[in-house]
Amino acid sequence: MSIIVVIGGGAAGFFGAITCAHTDPTARVLLLEKSGKLLAKVRVSGGGRCNVTHHCFVPTLLSQHYPRGARQLKDAFKVFGAQETVDWFSDRGVQLKAETDGRMFPITDNSETIIECLLQEAKRVGVQIRTGSGVESIVPEETVAGQPMFTLQLSSGENLRADKVLVSTGGNPKAAGYDWLRALGHKIQEPVPSLFTFNVPSSPLKELQGVSVPKAKVRVAGQKLEYEGPLLITHWGYSGPAVLKLSAWGARIFHEQQYTFTALINWIPDYTEESLREHLQAYRQAHPKKVVSTNPLFGLPQRLWKVLTSLAEVPAEIRWAELPGKNTNKLVESLLRLPVEVKGKTTFKEEFVTCGGVELNSVNMKTMESRVQPGLYFAGEVLDIDGITGGFNFQAAWTTGYLAGKAMAGTLD
C-alpha cells in the first residue's frame, strides 16, 4: 500500500487527494493543512459564492487567460478543462451556472456548496485529513529498490513517511516562503502580487466612489499594457475587471516600477478620436441649446460626465453652440485619455494571488511531477501559474490537482 501525502488543504490539494484516492483505492492518502481552516480561499471567492471556473470550453482559448502558464496549460486543459470541471461537480450533485461575463458559480450562489461537496467526496474516497499540521521540510531518502521515499518533518516535531508527496501550499507573498522547496533543488520565480487595484491618492474622480462603467479601456503610459472591461471608481482609486486583469498581465512590470506609473483611462473605447469628434460635432449641430455639463453622452453616468466636463474646463452653464474649440479638445482628451497617477496598490478583497512560484520548466506538466525530485508533485498556485480574475485560478487548481492525483495513482506517465 503506497502512502501519499498532500500538503495544503486548498482547492488544488483537495482535488489532488480526492483524484488519487478515487483512482487508486489501495493508496493511503493523507492531506495535511497547517492552519485550522480547510478550503479558506474557496470560502471567500466570488464574494462568498465561489467562482468555480469560467464558461470557456476550448482549451486553447481557456489557456489564453493566464499571464503565466498559458503554453503549459493548453495541453493540460485538453485532459481536464472547464467542461470536465462542470461535469465533475454535476456528477456529485452540484450544478454550476454561467453568468453573462462567463464566470461560473454553483446555482446556490453559496461557496459552502462547493466546500461541502469536496469534504464529502474526500470522506467518501477515504482521504484522511489533518489540520494544524504544518510541514517544515521534505527529506528525500535513498532506498534499495530505487523507489523514492520521503520523510516529512512537521512543525509539531513529528516525522511522517511517504512514497509520494503533493505540494499544494498555494502562493506565498514572500520569497523565503519557498526556501524549503529551493532546498530540494527547485528554482523559484520571485513572487510578486497579481490581481490588485490601483491606488490613486490624487484621483480627480475620488468623489465618485461607487460609480462604474460597463466598458472602459485602461492603458499604461509608455507600455503596451492595456485591458478593456468594466471599471469601478473607488475612494482609493480604481478597481473592476479592467484594472484587476491589467494588474495580472503587468504584475512584474508594475512591481519593478514600485507601483508608480501613469494610467490612461478611455471611457468610450468603441470610439476613435476621429469618430468621437464627428459624433460631438453632429450632436452639437442637433442640440445646440443643450447645456454641455448636464446632458451626458455615450451612456456615461451623470456624475462622471459632469466631472469629465469640469476637467475639460467646460463652463458649468455653457451650451453646445457656444463651446470653444479648446474645450472640445480637452473634452476629447478626458474621454479618451484621462491620465491618473497610480501610486500603490490594494489587494483585491481577500483573494490574494501571486505571480511567481516553482518554475514550470522543472515540472512535467503532463503529470505535475518534479523533474528534479522524482516522487514529488506540485499543483495550484505554488507553481508559477496565475490567471486573470474570472474563475481561471480555480480552474488551474482543479486541472493541476487532477493531473497530479492521476499520476500519483499511477495512471499518467
Side-chain angles (χ1 to χ4, degrees):
M1 180 179 70
S2 60
I3 301 173
I4 313 292
V5 175
V6 177
I7 307 173
F14 260 84
F15 223 70
I18 289 169
T19 302
C20 182
H22 175 77
T23 307
D24 181 8
T26 68
R28 180 191 171 201
V29 181
L30 175 63
L31 185 149
L32 304 177
E33 167 56 42
K34 70 177 180 180
S35 74
K37 297 179 181 179
L38 298 168
L39 299 163
K41 212 170 202 178
V42 172
R43 180 166 279 108
V44 301
S45 163
R49 295 195 297 149
C50 188
N51 186 182
V52 178
T53 185
H54 201 88
H55 193 270
C56 182
F57 300 142
V58 179
T60 303
L61 297 179
L62 182 60
S63 68
Q64 292 173 5
H65 295 85
Y66 294 82
R68 268 91 21 201
R71 180 173 56 82
Q72 295 88 344
L73 285 172
K74 186 164 61 175
D75 288 337
F77 287 149
K78 293 176 183 176
V79 179
F80 196 92
Q83 183 64 62
E84 287 73 23
T85 297
V86 172
D87 293 343
W88 191 94
F89 281 101
S90 177
D91 290 345
R92 289 154 182 82
V94 176
Q95 303 300 319
L96 303 182
K97 61 176 181 177
E99 302 202 338
T100 54
D101 59 3
R103 294 180 300 161
M104 299 194 74
F105 297 89
I107 59 173
T108 60
D109 280 327
N110 190 337
S111 60
E112 295 299 329
T113 303
I114 302 300
I115 291 171
E116 190 62 27
C117 174
L118 293 170
L119 289 174
Q120 288 296 328
E121 187 66 7
K123 182 179 180 180
R124 187 183 73 81
V125 298
V127 175
Q128 299 175 43
I129 299 172
R130 287 173 53 178
T131 57
S133 300
V135 177
E136 296 291 323
S137 65
I138 302 172
V139 182
E141 298 180 9
E142 290 189 21
T143 62
V144 177
Q147 295 297 318
M149 279 289 292
F150 302 92
T151 296
L152 277 63
Q153 298 177 338
L154 275 58
S155 50
S156 63
E158 180 186 358
N159 286 343
L160 290 176
R161 301 292 297 278
D163 297 292
K164 295 174 182 176
V165 177
L166 171 60
V167 177
S168 51
T169 47
N172 197 305
K174 296 181 180 179
Y178 295 91
D179 285 349
W180 64 305
L181 299 178
R182 284 194 186 88
L184 292 167
H186 292 91
K187 290 184 178 180
I188 304 295
Q189 283 287 345
E190 181 190 2
V192 301
S194 182
L195 292 189
F196 49 84
T197 63
F198 294 169
N199 287 1
V200 185
S202 60
S203 171
L205 307 181
K206 192 177 294 187
E207 64 190 76
L208 303 182
Q209 64 181 80
V211 171
S212 64
V213 294
K215 186 165 74 170
K217 182 183 288 184
V218 184
R219 181 164 60 89
V220 180
Q223 303 279 354
K224 292 183 178 179
L225 287 168
E226 64 179 30
Y227 211 92
E228 187 176 300
L231 182 67
L232 173 67
I233 301 169
T234 69
H235 68 274
W236 67 85
Y238 300 88
S239 185
V243 167
L244 293 168
K245 293 176 181 181
L246 182 61
S247 78
W249 288 106
R252 293 210 174 276
I253 292 173
F254 294 144
H255 179 72
E256 291 165 3
Q257 295 178 334
Q258 298 182 314
Y259 307 100
T260 300
F261 56 92
T262 300
L264 302 172
I265 301 177
N266 182 342
W267 301 99
I268 47 172
D270 290 339
Y271 285 82
T272 63
E273 181 161 343
E274 182 181 3
S275 65
L276 172 58
R277 288 184 180 277
E278 289 175 354
H279 184 91
L280 293 179
Q281 180 59 26
Y283 188 87
R284 178 190 186 116
Q285 291 175 351
H287 307 282
K289 295 184 178 181
K290 282 194 174 183
V291 176
V292 177
S293 63
T294 57
N295 291 279
L297 302 183
F298 314 107
L300 294 175
Q302 169 75 57
R303 292 169 63 203
L304 174 61
W305 176 261
K306 189 171 183 179
V307 173
L308 291 177
T309 57
S310 175
L311 291 171
E313 299 176 6
V314 174
E317 300 302 324
I318 201 167
R319 302 176 189 279
W320 275 103
E322 305 157 351
L323 187 67
K326 66 176 183 178
N327 297 105
T328 302
N329 292 338
K330 288 180 179 180
L331 182 57
V332 167
E333 288 297 308
S334 291
L335 289 168
L336 297 181
R337 291 175 288 272
L338 180 72
V340 295
E341 300 302 321
V342 179
K343 295 186 184 299
K345 59 176 177 56
T346 298
T347 301
F348 177 54
K349 298 181 181 177
E350 290 126 356
E351 300 176 41
F352 188 88
V353 175
T354 56
C355 151
V358 176
E359 282 195 357
L360 301 187
N361 58 13
S362 66
V363 178
N364 179 344
M365 292 296 291
K366 292 183 178 180
T367 63
M368 307 315 299
E369 185 174 18
S370 167
R371 297 185 189 277
V372 178
Q373 178 58 62
L376 184 66
Y377 297 77
F378 297 98
E381 282 186 43
V382 70
L383 294 158
D384 186 23
I385 289 175
D386 63 287
I388 60 177
T389 182
F392 300 103
N393 286 296
F394 272 137
Q395 183 56 57
W398 312 131
T399 297
T400 54
Y402 178 86
L403 293 176
K406 283 287 186 181
M408 292 188 297
T411 59
L412 287 177
D413 54 40

